[in-house]
C-alpha cells in the first residue's frame, strides 16, 4: 500500500483516539446501566431502557442536533460545563468522543445485560455464604463472568464508533485535526466528484482499524474461553 | 391521464420544491414525485440507474459530472435559480451590519476560540462559494483555521442559531427564514462564481410530461413561487437560449 | 454452640413448618426423603431464602426474625454451606475456589498449615491449578467441601457432602469432621441419606417429612425408635450406645468396653481407658440365644431381657432387649431383628431372660471408626 | 397528541414495514452466521466476522454507496437481479429494507453469538445420547436456549433500523411513500427552515415506535425468564 | 447383549487404558475411587469422547474403531446415559425432559403404560409441569433417570444414578432395574460407590484404578477376593452365592434355599420353588462356632471347613469357609470376618470342620431384595 498522506494518518489517529476514549469512558456507565436493567425488579427499567436506546432509534443527525441543544454553549449542560470546568465540547474531539460514546452506548449495554442475565444466581448464593458482600461479588463474580459480554459490547461499540458520522458532524462539525474522523473524511471524499479513490483508501483504513479491534477482541475471548475450559 | 414526474432535487430546495409540486399538480394535473438529498448523493444515484426524470442540483459540478457521463438529455440543461451568499451572526451578537469589502477584517470579528460555520468547502456548494469569496477577499488564509465545516447549509445555520459559531456564511434564502440570527453583510456577487441551481432532464426520460415539467419550472408561475422562498432567477431571461450551459 | 430454627414457609407444593433447637455443639443429622424440604431449611438458615414467618438464631445471634424485622445478609451470617451441587466458580482455578472464603475471613482465618492439611486430606493438591469444569464428580465435591472448610465458618451446613465419594475417602473426611466437631465445638447440620454417616457422625437427628419436623432428638434414641413409620426402610433400626473404654487386649487386637454393667468386646479403639465412645449396634447384627452358646467366635454375649416384640415388616420382628436394670439404666436397650420363624422356633416371649450375641466386628466404635 | 398528517403516518408505516421486514428476513442468516462464528474451529471466522461488522465500521453513507455500486441497475448483483428476477432494489422500499438489514446485521449476529457461546455443551451431550441429531439439537436446544440472545439481537436491530438514515438515503434516495422513512422525513423537515417542530413530531413518532418494540421485547423476555424459573 | 471396550486415551493427568468384554446381558459395576476415570470410560462408550486409540462394540455393532476410522455419532449409538450431574434441559418442563428421548425413538418406543409405570415408580408424577431448576437434588436425579429409561435404549450407562436418593426410593428403583436386566436383557454399565448396590444389582464387576482396568469378573468372585489391595476399605468383603429356592414356610415367613448341598433360611422370597436366586452374604455377618449351637435365633447353621485364614486388617481375620465338597463345589465358599482375639480363643486352624452361623435377616436374597 502506498504511504498514508498526512491528512489520512491524522484522521486515522483521531478516529482511533475518539473511539477508544468513547468506549473506555462509557464502559463503567454501561456496566452500571446493564446491572440496573438486568434487575427485573427495577421499576423505571423500561424508561431507562428507552433512554439508552434513544441514539439507535433516532437518526444520527437528530441525535447530533439534540446533543447540540443539550451540550452547546447555551445548552443546560453545555453552559454548566463551560462555566464550571471551562470545557467546551462543540468543535472539539472530546465532543466527538461524547457523541460516539452516546451513540454506541446501547451496544455496550445490550451485550453486557445479556451476559449478566445468563449468570447463574446460585453462584451468588455460594459467594455470599463464603462471606462475599455485594461489592465483593461484583468484582469476584459479576464482572469476570460477564467479561465475554463486556468485551463483545466494547468491541461492537468501538467498531460502531469508528463508523459514526451523523451525530459527530452535526454536533461538533467537521474540523480537520480536531473532529474530522475517518467517516467524516470518507464522506467528504465521496461527496467530491472523482473522490472515489480517496474514499476507498480511507475506507480501507477504517476497515483495517476495525479488523484490528475485532481481532484483538477475538483473541481475548478465546483466551478467556480456553482458560475456562482448562 | 395524469402522469408522474420524478424530480431529484438538492436538499436546500426542500420547501420551495414542495410548494412547486402543489402548484404544478393544480396547473397541469400531473404529479411531481420529489426526492431530496445532497446533490452528490442524487447524482450518484442517477448514475446508478435511479429512475429520475429531472435533476436539480445545488451546483454545477455534479450536473457536469452527469453530463460527462452522457446521462443528461441533450440541450435540456438550464440554470434554474440563483442565490446570494451572506454573513450571519447570532441574534445576540454585538456585531452590527456592515458592507463587505476586501478591507473587512473578518478574522478580527472572531475571537481566538471562535468559529465561523460554513458548508464544507470541500463539497458543500455553499461552502465552495464561501471559499471562493473568502479567497477573492484575501481572507481565506486567516479564516481557514476557524472554519466549522457542516455537511449542509442548514447544519451550518443551526450552529449559528445555537450560538456555537459566532459567524456563519449561508445562502440569503436560508438566512431570510431563519430565526435567532441576523444578517451582517452580503458577499459581493463578483467575489465568487455565480451561484446557480442547474436543472436538466435525464437521458431516456424525455417524456412529454417531464418536458412539460421542465418548461413549467422555467416559467413565470414557478418563478413567483421560487421568489417567495428568496430565490432569484439568473440575471438573463430564462426564455432566451443564453441561460443554457 | 447453638442453632434455633422455627420457621414457616410456603412455596408451591412445599409447605415448610420446621422447628428445632440445638443447644450443644456437635453434629445434627437432617434426615428425610427426597423432596421433603431439607435443602430448603438449610437455605433459610444460610439466608438464601427468606421464610414467610419465624426466627432463626445461630450461636445466640438472631440472624432472622420476621417479627423484629431482622434479616442478616448471608455474607454476614458466617455459615459454611456445602451445597448439594458443588456450585464451584467456573472462572476461577481450583485454588482460587478453595481460598475464596478464606481470603474473605478477616476475623479468624485458618492458619496456612491447617489449610494445607485440609487440602491434603481431600486429595486435591494436584488439582490446584485446574479449572472446575473438567473435574470428576467426586473431585468437584471435594473442592466444594474444601472451599467451605477453609473459610473457617461458625456453623457448618452440609447438604449431602459425601455422596459422590468412595468409601476410603469418605472415611478419611468423616474422621476429619469428627475432629472438627470435638475440637472446634461447631454446630454442624448434616443432610445425608446414608445411615452409616448418621450413626457414625451425628449426635442428634431431626427427621423431616413433607416439610414438617416429624421428630428430633439424640441419635441414641432416634435410631432405636420403631414408631417412626414413615422412615421404615429409611434407616437400619439399631442402637447407638454410650460406653466407656475399660481396657485393651495386650496385643492390641481388641478393646474391652463397659456399658450398662456389661462387658463388650469391640475391634481395637485408639482411646485411653475411661474415654467415652459411642457404639453403633445394628438390630440386624444381634442374635438371640436362650442357652449360653459355647465355643463361638462372637465375643459379646450379653445377658438381656426381652422388653418388647414388634412386627417390623412381614415376617420380621423387632425385639427390644433391655440391658441391665430397667429402672437404673432407663432406655438402655438394644434391638434385634429376627425372623418370626426363629422367634416361633425359640418360643420367644416378653419378659424372658435371654442372651444377645454380637460379633465384635459388627460393633462400630466411634470416633475411631475402623469397620463401618 | 394532534392527529398525524398523511405524510407522517406514511413515514411511520413505511419505517415499521422496512424495519420489520429487514429484521425478520435477516434473522435466519444472522443465526447461521452466529453459529458459524461461535464454532471457534471455523478458520475463516475472523474474515466472516469482519464482513459482518463492515456496515458498522464504515460510515453509513459509504455503506449506502457500496450498496449502490453493487445493487444498482448497473451493479453486478443489481443487474443480475433486474435481468433474471425483474427486481429493482434501488429507489424501492425493498432496497431500503435490504440496506437496513445489512446495516443492522452485526447487532443480531453479536447478540445471538454471545447467547450461543453461553450454552452449556453438556446439554448437547445429553441430547445426543437421547437420540437427537444435529438438526434435532438445533431446534430443541440451540434455538430455544439462545432465544434471549435472538430476541435481544432482533430488537436492537429493529431499533437500529428505525434510526437508519445514511445508508438508506444514499442507496435508495428519499422518495415519499417509497423510501422516505421516519429518519429521512426528519432530515427533510430539518432541511426546511422552521421545520424543527415537524422534525420533533417525527422524532416523537420514532421514539414511540422504538419504545413499542423495546416494550414488547421486554415483555417476551420476562415471560421466557419466568417460565425458566417456574 | 454384549459390550466390548478396549481403549487408550490420554488427557491431562489421566492416562486411560481400559479393556473389558461383557458377553452376556446383565449389570456390570464399574468400581473405582474418585477421579479414576469411570466417567471418562462411559463418555467414550457413549461417543462423547473420542479415545486416542482402540475400539468399542455395543451388542456386536462396532461403534468406534480408530484403525477402521469408525466413529458413530452419539445420537446413533442408542445408548442410555444417566449422567453424574442430572443435566436436565433447563428450558423444558419435567414432562418434556422425560419424553425428550422417547419422542425421538422411532424404532422401539416404550408403550404409554410402560412410560406411566416408570414415572410412577420414580414418584415424579406431580412434578410434570415444573421446570427443572427448582427441583430438589433427588428429584432432578429421578427425572434424569426417567428421561433415560423412557428413551428405551439398547444399553444403559449409569453414572451414580442413585446417589442422591433415600433408601426406600433406591430400593424401588433397584427392583425396577433388576426387572429390566432380567426382562429386556440389556447390558447395563453401572458406576457406584455403594457396595450394597453392587452386590445387589451387579452380575459382573470391573475395577478401575488411575485409569487402568485393574480386575474384572463375576461379582461372585470379585466380592470374595482379598487380593485387590487398592480396594481395601472400598467394599465389604463378602460372597455372592447362587442358590435355588427349595420351598417356603407355610405362613410365608421365610424361604428355604438349597446351596452347595446345604439348606439355608432367608427372609421370604417371592419366587417359585426351583428358581435361582443370588445370595449376598457379608463376611462381617458370618459367625464361626466349633460346637453346634442350640436354641439360637440364627436359622442358618452350615457345616463348613476352614479353607484359609488371612489377616484382613490389624486384628481382624478373613476366614474362608468351604461349603460342601471342595472338589465338586469348587470355589463355593463363604467368608467370615472375625477378630484375631476370638480366633485365638476358639483355637481356629485351617482344615478344621466348624459351623458357620448366619442370621436369616442378613442373607440378602435377590432379586426380590427385602432387607438390604
Ligand atoms: N422455589 C421453589 N419453588 C417451587 N418449589 C420448590 C422451590 N424450592 C423447593 N421446591 C420444592 O420443594 C420440595 C423440597 O425441596 P428441597 O430441595 O428442600 O428437598 P430436599 O429435602 O433437599 O430433597 P433432596 O433430598 O431430593 O435434595 C421439592 O419438591 C421442590 O421441588
Ligand atoms: N477433559 C479433561 N481434561 C483434563 N482432565 C480431565 C478431563 N476429563 C477428565 N479429567 C480428569 O481425569 C480424571 C478422571 O475423571 P473421571 O471424571 O473419569 O473420574 P471418575 O472416575 O468418574 O471420578 P468420580 O467418581 O469422582 O466421578 C479426573 O482427575 C479428571 O480431573
Ligand atoms: Mg436437597
Ligand atoms: Mg465420575
Amino acid at each position: 500500500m502506498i504511504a498514508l498522506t498526512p491528512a489520512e494518518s491524522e484522521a486515522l489517529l483521531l478516529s482511533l483516539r475518539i473511539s477508544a476514549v468513547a468506549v473506555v469512558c462509557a464502559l463503567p456507565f454501561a456496566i452500571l446501566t446493564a446491572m440496573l436493567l438486568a434487575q427485573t425488579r427495577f421499576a423505571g427499567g423500561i424508561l431507562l431502557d428507552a433512554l439508552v436506546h434513544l441514539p439507535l432509534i433516532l437518526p444520527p443527525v437528530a441525535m447530533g442536533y439534540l446533543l447540540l441543544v443539550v451540550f452547546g454553549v447555551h445548552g443546560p449542560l453545555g453552559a454548566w460545563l463551560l462555566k464550571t470546568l471551562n470545557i467546551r465540547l462543540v468543535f472539539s474531539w472530546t465532543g466527538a468522543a461524547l457523541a460516539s460514546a452516546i451513540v454506541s452506548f446501547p451496544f455496550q449495554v445490550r451485550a453486557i445485560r445479556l451476559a449478566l442475565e445468563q449468570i447463574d444466581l446460585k453462584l451468588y448464593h455460594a459467594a455470599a455464604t463464603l462471606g462475599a458482600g455485594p461489592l465483593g461479588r461484583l468484582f469476584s463474580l459479576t464482572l469476570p463472568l460477564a467479561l465475554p459480554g463486556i468485551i463483545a459490547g466494547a468491541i461492537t461499540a468501538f467498531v460502531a464508533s469508528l463508523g459514526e458520522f451523523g451525530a459527530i458532524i452535526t454536533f461538533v462539525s467537521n474540523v480537520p485535526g480536531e473532529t474530522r474522523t475517518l467517516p467524516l473524511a470518507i464522506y467528504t471524499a465521496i461527496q467530491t466528484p472523482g473522490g472515489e479513490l480517496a474514499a476507498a483508501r480511507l475506507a480501507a483504513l477504517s476497515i483495517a482499524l476495525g479488523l484490528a479491534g475485532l481481532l484483538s477482541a477475538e483473541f481475548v475471548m478465546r483466551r478467556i474461553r480456553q482458560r475456562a475450559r482448562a | 391521464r395524469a402522469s408522474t414526474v420524478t424530480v431529484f432535487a438538492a436538499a436546500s430546495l426542500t420547501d420551495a420544491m414542495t410548494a412547486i409540486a402543489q402548484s404544478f399538480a393544480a396547473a397541469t394535473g400531473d404529479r411531481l414525485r420529489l426526492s431530496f438529498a445532497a446533490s452528490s448523493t442524487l447524482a450518484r444515484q442517477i448514475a446508478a440507474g435511479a429512475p429520475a426524470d429531472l435533476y436539480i442540483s445545488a451546483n454545477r459540478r455534479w450536473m457536469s459530472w452527469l453530463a460527462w457521463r452522457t446521462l443528461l438529455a441533450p440541450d435540456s440543461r438550464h440554470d434554474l435559480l440563483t442565490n446570494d451568499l451572506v454573513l450571519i451572526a447570532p441574534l445576540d451578537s454585538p456585531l452590527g451590519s456592515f458592507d463587505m469589502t476586501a478591507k473587512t477584517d473578518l478574522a478580527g470579528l472572531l475571537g481566538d476560540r471562535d468559529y465561523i460555520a460554513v458548508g464544507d468547502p470541500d463539497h458543500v456548494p455553499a461552502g465552495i462559494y464561501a471559499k471562493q469569496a473568502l479567497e477573492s477577499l484575501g481572507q481565506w488564509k486567516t479564516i481557514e483555521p476557524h472554519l466549522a465545516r457542516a455537511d449542509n447549509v442548514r447544519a451550518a445555520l443551526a450552529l449559528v442559531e445555537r450560538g456555537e459559531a459566532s459567524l456563519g456564511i449561508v445562502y440569503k434564502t436560508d438566512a431570510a427564514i431563519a430565526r435567532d440570527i441576523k444578517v451582517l453583510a452580503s458577499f459581493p456577487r463578483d467575489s465568487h462564481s455565480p451561484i446557480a441551481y442547474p436543472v436538466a432532464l435525464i437521458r431516456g426520460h424525455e417524456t412529454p410530461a417531464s418536458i412539460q415539467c421542465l418548461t413549467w419550472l422555467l416559467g413565470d408561475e414557478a418563478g413567483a413561487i421560487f421568489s417567495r422562498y428568496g430565490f432569484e432567477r439568473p440575471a438573463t431571461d430564462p426564455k432566451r437560449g443564453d441561460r443554457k450551459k | 454452640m447453638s442453632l434455633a430454627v422455627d420457621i414457616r414457609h410456603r412455596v408451591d407444593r412445599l409447605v415448610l413448618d420446621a422447628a428445632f433447637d440445638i443447644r450443644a455443639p456437635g453434629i445434627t443429622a437432617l434426615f428425610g426423603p427426597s423432596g421433603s424440604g431439607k435443602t430448603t431449611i438449610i437455605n433459610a438458615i444460610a439466608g438464601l431464602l427468606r421464610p414467610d414467618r419465624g426466627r432463626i438464631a445461630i450461636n445466640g445471634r438472631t440472624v432472622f426474625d420476621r417479627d423484629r424485622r431482622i434479616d442478616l445478609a448471608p455474607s454476614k451470617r458466617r455459615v459454611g454451606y456445602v451445597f448439594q451441587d458443588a456450585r464451584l466458580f467456573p472462572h476461577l482455578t481450583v485454588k482460587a475456589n478453595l481460598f475464596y472464603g478464606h481470603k474473605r475471613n478477616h476475623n479468624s482465618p485458618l492458619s496456612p498449615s491447617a489449610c494445607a492439611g485440609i487440602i491434603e486430606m481431600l486429595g486435591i493438591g494436584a488439582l490446584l491449578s485446574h479449572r472446575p469444569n473438567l473435574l470428576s464428580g467426586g473431585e468437584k465435591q471435594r473442592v466444594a467441601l474444601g472451599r467451605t472448610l477453609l473459610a473457617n465458618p461458625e456453623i457448618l451446613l452440609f447438604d449431602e457432602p459425601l455422596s459422590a465419594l468412595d468409601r476410603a475417602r469418605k472415611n478419611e473426611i468423616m474422621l476429619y469432621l469428627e475432629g472438627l466437631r470435638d475440637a472446634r465445638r461447631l454446630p454442624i447440620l448434616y443432610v445425608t441419606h446414608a445411615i452409616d454417616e448418621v450413626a457414625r457422625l451425628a449426635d442428634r437427628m431431626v427427621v423431616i417429612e413433607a416439610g414438617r419436623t416429624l421428630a428430633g432428638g439424640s441419635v441414641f434414641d432416634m435410631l432405636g425408635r420403631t414408631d417412626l413409620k414413615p422412615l421404615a426402610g429409611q434407616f437400619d433400626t439399631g442402637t447407638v450406645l454410650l460406653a466407656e473404654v475399660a481396657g485393651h487386649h495386650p496385643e492390641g487386637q481388641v478393646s474391652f468396653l463397659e456399658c450398662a454393667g456389661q462387658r463388650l468386646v469391640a475391634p481395637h479403639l485408639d482411646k485411653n481407658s475411661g474415654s467415652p465412645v459411642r457404639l453403633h449396634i445394628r438390630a440386624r447384627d444381634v442374635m438371640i440365644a436362650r442357652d449360653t452358646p459355647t465355643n463361638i467366635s462372637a465375643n459379646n454375649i450379653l445377658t438381656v431381657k426381652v422388653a418388647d416384640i414388634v412386627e417390623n415388616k412381614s415376617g420380621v420382628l423387632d425385639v427390644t432387649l433391655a440391658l441391665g436394670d430397667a429402672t437404673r439404666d432407663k432406655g438402655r436397650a438394644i434391638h434385634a431383628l429376627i425372623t418370626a420363624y426363629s422367634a416361633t422356633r425359640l418360643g420367644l416371649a416378653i419378659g424372658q431372660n435371654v442372651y444377645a450375641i454380637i460379633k465384635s466386628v459388627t460393633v462400630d466404635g466411634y470416633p475411631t471408626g475402623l469397620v463401618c
Side-chain angles (χ1 to χ4, degrees), chain A, chain B, chain C:
Chain A
M1 206 205 234
I2 310 129
L4 299 185
T5 68
E8 281 170 348
S9 56
E10 191 179 66
L12 179 74
L13 289 176
L14 195 60
S15 262
L16 185 60
R17 181 169 65 193
I18 287 175
S19 298
V21 167
V23 170
V24 170
C25 294
L27 192 58
F29 300 98
I31 292 174
L32 208 74
T33 311
M35 280 171 45
L36 276 174
L37 288 175
Q39 294 189 355
T40 46
R41 276 176 262 172
F42 179 56
I46 192 75
L47 271 177
L48 181 61
D49 204 28
L51 195 67
V52 165
H53 281 85
L54 201 63
L56 268 183
I57 301 175
L58 287 180
V61 175
M63 204 55 220
Y65 188 72
L66 213 62
L67 286 175
L68 202 57
V69 169
V70 176
F71 288 99
V73 285
H74 297 312
L77 277 173
W80 179 82
L81 278 175
L82 191 62
K83 214 174 61 194
T84 56
L85 303 172
N86 198 26
I87 290 176
R88 180 166 170 184
L89 292 171
V90 181
F91 304 136
S92 81
W93 73 269
T94 45
L98 177 73
S100 285
I102 289 180
V103 170
S104 61
F105 197 63
F107 307 139
Q108 300 213 55
V109 173
R110 265 286 171 198
I112 297 171
R113 178 180 172 184
L114 200 58
L116 287 177
E117 285 172 346
Q118 305 265 349
I119 297 178
D120 189 352
L121 293 180
K122 290 177 172 174
L123 294 178
Y124 289 109
H125 288 169
T129 64
L130 289 163
L135 217 64
R137 297 198 290 268
L138 175 68
F139 285 103
S140 66
L141 292 188
T142 314
L143 294 182
L145 287 169
L147 200 56
I150 294 174
I151 294 175
I155 196 63
T156 313
F158 177 77
V159 162
S161 285
L162 286 181
E164 180 46 37
F165 166 75
I168 291 185
I169 197 159
T170 311
F171 180 36
V172 294
S173 158
N174 180 350
V175 181
E178 189 69 34
T179 65
R180 180 177 288 182
T181 57
L182 283 171
L184 269 63
I186 292 174
Y187 179 75
T188 304
I190 288 184
Q191 302 297 58
T192 313
E196 290 83 358
L197 183 69
R201 276 179 62 103
L202 287 161
L205 278 184
S206 251
I207 293 171
L209 204 55
L211 207 62
L214 286 175
L215 259 170
S216 44
E218 199 67 27
F219 179 76
V220 175
M221 293 275 250
R222 286 198 189 187
R223 286 210 45 182
I224 293 174
R225 247 175 288 139
Q226 254 165 25
R227 250 183 21 191
R229 282 180 190 169
Chain B
R1 189 175 149 271
S3 38
T4 298
V5 180
T6 302
V7 181
F8 275 24
S12 50
L13 295 172
T14 302
D15 43 356
M17 281 305 293
T18 308
I20 290 277
Q22 280 169 6
S23 299
F24 179 74
T28 66
D30 285 354
R31 212 169 70 83
L32 281 193
R33 193 157 63 146
L34 300 166
S35 177
F36 300 111
S39 303
S40 54
T41 303
L42 297 172
R44 289 194 190 279
Q45 285 168 351
I46 290 166
D53 299 315
L54 268 102
Y55 171 51
I56 308 176
S57 173
N59 68 357
R60 291 178 171 145
R61 278 165 97 189
W62 285 103
M63 190 58 92
S64 305
W65 188 80
L66 284 178
W68 293 329
R69 283 167 176 68
T70 62
L71 291 165
L72 302 181
D75 294 333
S76 68
R77 177 173 172 176
H78 300 77
D79 279 344
L80 180 64
L81 299 167
T82 186
N83 211 336
D84 281 310
L85 219 49
V86 293
L87 183 71
I88 58 168
L91 213 49
D92 57 5
S93 165
L95 301 174
S97 54
F98 57 90
D99 279 337
M100 181 86 65
T101 66
K103 297 201 174 60
T104 313
D105 178 18
L106 274 182
L109 299 177
L110 282 170
D112 259 359
R113 286 180 65 187
D114 279 357
Y115 283 86
I116 176 163
V118 294
D120 192 336
D122 285 342
H123 62 90
V124 179
I128 297 169
Y129 295 127
K131 181 178 175 185
Q132 290 173 353
L134 290 170
E135 277 173 341
S136 71
L137 294 173
Q139 310 259 7
W140 175 247
K141 280 269 163 347
T142 48
I143 290 292
E144 198 200 351
H146 293 275
L147 289 185
R149 301 152 190 251
D151 78 323
N152 56 59
V153 195
R154 294 286 316 155
L157 190 62
L159 287 173
V160 181
E161 280 177 336
R162 302 292 319 161
E164 301 299 340
S166 44
L167 292 176
I169 304 174
V170 298
Y171 290 130
K172 193 178 81 188
T173 48
D174 296 302
I177 316 170
R179 295 161 295 147
D180 302 332
I181 59 122
K182 57 186 175 191
V183 177
L184 297 181
S186 290
F187 284 88
R189 280 207 167 170
D190 56 4
S191 67
H192 52 83
S193 53
I195 297 172
Y197 286 77
V199 62
L201 280 175
I202 306 305
R203 199 175 142 118
H205 291 259
E206 305 96 328
T207 58
S210 45
I211 292 170
Q212 182 198 14
C213 177
L214 178 61
T215 316
W216 196 84
L217 280 175
L218 294 169
D220 291 336
E221 203 177 337
I225 297 172
F226 280 128
S227 64
R228 251 196 356 248
Y229 289 89
F231 292 100
E232 290 171 30
R233 288 297 195 190
T236 35
D237 185 353
K239 294 283 188 293
R240 282 179 25 210
D242 57 346
R243 253 182 67 203
K244 270 194 185 161
K245 276 266 172 186
Chain C
M1 321 273 162
S2 72
L3 171 64
V5 174
D6 182 0
I7 51 173
R8 254 152 299 272
H9 188 66
R10 197 192 173 97
V11 49
D12 211 62
R13 302 175 311 290
L14 179 72
V15 183
L16 200 69
D17 183 355
F20 51 91
D21 192 349
I22 300 164
R23 299 194 171 278
I27 299 180
T28 305
L30 209 53
F31 211 81
S34 168
S36 57
K38 305 180 294 295
T39 301
T40 309
I41 290 174
I42 292 201
N43 280 341
I45 297 171
L48 304 179
L49 175 119
R50 179 179 300 136
D52 295 338
R53 299 174 51 195
R55 60 183 297 279
I56 298 169
I58 300 173
N59 292 342
R61 284 185 297 148
T62 300
V63 296
F64 176 78
D65 190 331
R66 179 58 216 276
D67 297 335
R68 286 161 57 203
R69 292 177 182 281
I70 296 174
D71 186 8
L72 211 61
S75 58
K76 301 233 170 70
R77 294 196 181 189
R78 296 202 286 274
V79 301
Y81 187 166
V82 179
F83 296 88
Q84 198 166 5
D85 48 333
R87 235 176 259 196
L88 300 178
F89 303 123
H91 59 299
L92 300 178
T93 59
V94 165
K95 184 169 182 188
N97 265 284
L98 283 171
F99 286 91
Y100 188 93
H102 177 264
K103 191 165 93 163
R104 286 173 171 76
N105 182 345
H106 304 296
N107 298 320
S108 53
L110 276 193
S111 71
S113 69
C115 294
I118 291 173
I119 291 170
E120 206 206 334
M121 166 194 72
L122 295 169
I124 47 181
L127 305 173
L128 291 185
S129 64
H130 288 62
R131 307 254 155 199
N133 75 331
L134 288 180
L135 297 185
S136 83
E139 287 165 347
K140 279 186 189 141
Q141 209 173 42
R142 285 180 274 158
V143 175
L145 194 59
R147 182 175 67 174
T148 299
L149 292 177
L150 288 185
N152 198 24
E154 286 192 6
I155 177 174
L156 283 169
L157 308 172
F158 285 155
D159 202 350
E160 303 194 40
L162 308 180
S163 65
L165 298 182
D166 50 281
R167 196 173 280 206
R169 182 73 62 188
K170 230 176 189 164
N171 269 337
E172 209 173 327
I173 295 173
M174 283 201 281
L175 267 176
Y176 179 86
L177 294 182
E178 278 164 357
L180 210 60
R181 174 191 65 190
D182 298 340
R184 297 273 322 282
R185 302 178 63 76
L186 294 178
I188 301 179
L189 206 59
Y190 193 99
V191 174
T192 181
H193 291 117
I195 194 66
D196 283 353
E197 292 174 19
V198 173
R200 168 155 176 185
L201 287 171
D203 302 295
R204 276 164 306 275
M205 197 166 150
V206 173
V207 179
I208 312 287
E209 165 108 339
R212 297 193 45 241
T213 39
L214 209 68
S218 119
V219 168
F220 305 89
D221 301 334
M222 299 290 291
L223 285 186
R225 275 172 69 171
T226 44
D227 62 319
L228 294 174
K229 273 275 168 273
L231 295 175
Q234 288 280 350
F235 52 80
D236 288 326
T237 316
T239 318
V240 177
L241 291 174
L242 257 190
E244 195 170 275
V245 175
H248 300 285
H249 185 266
E251 290 165 31
Q253 292 172 330
V254 291
S255 296
F256 303 108
L257 311 173
E258 177 79 28
C259 175
Q262 310 237 12
R263 200 193 73 148
L264 281 162
V265 182
H268 181 73
L269 293 171
D270 201 7
K271 288 265 175 181
N272 293 335
S273 291
S275 324
V277 288
R278 57 156 90 205
L279 301 178
H280 182 212
I281 296 171
R282 291 171 189 76
R284 65 191 287 289
D285 292 333
V286 179
M287 209 177 274
I288 298 172
R290 300 201 57 186
D291 301 342
T292 322
T294 54
N295 246 337
I296 190 166
S297 66
N299 290 317
N300 300 298
I301 297 171
L302 310 179
T303 52
V304 294
K305 176 178 268 180
V306 177
D308 201 2
I309 301 179
V310 176
E311 175 138 28
N312 177 287
K313 52 194 134 189
S314 160
V316 177
L317 304 180
D318 179 341
V319 182
T320 310
L321 303 167
L323 290 168
D325 182 2
T327 42
R328 215 194 60 208
D329 300 301
K330 186 173 174 296
R332 295 282 195 108
I334 59 174
H335 290 258
L337 222 51
I338 63 172
T339 55
Y341 172 75
S342 47
T344 315
R345 189 164 50 70
L346 288 179
L348 216 60
I350 293 176
Q352 280 174 350
N353 286 313
V354 296
Y355 299 96
I357 307 172
I358 309 163
K359 293 188 63 181
S360 293
V361 293
T362 64
V363 176
D364 293 337
Y366 304 124
T368 41
L370 279 175
V371 178
C372 146

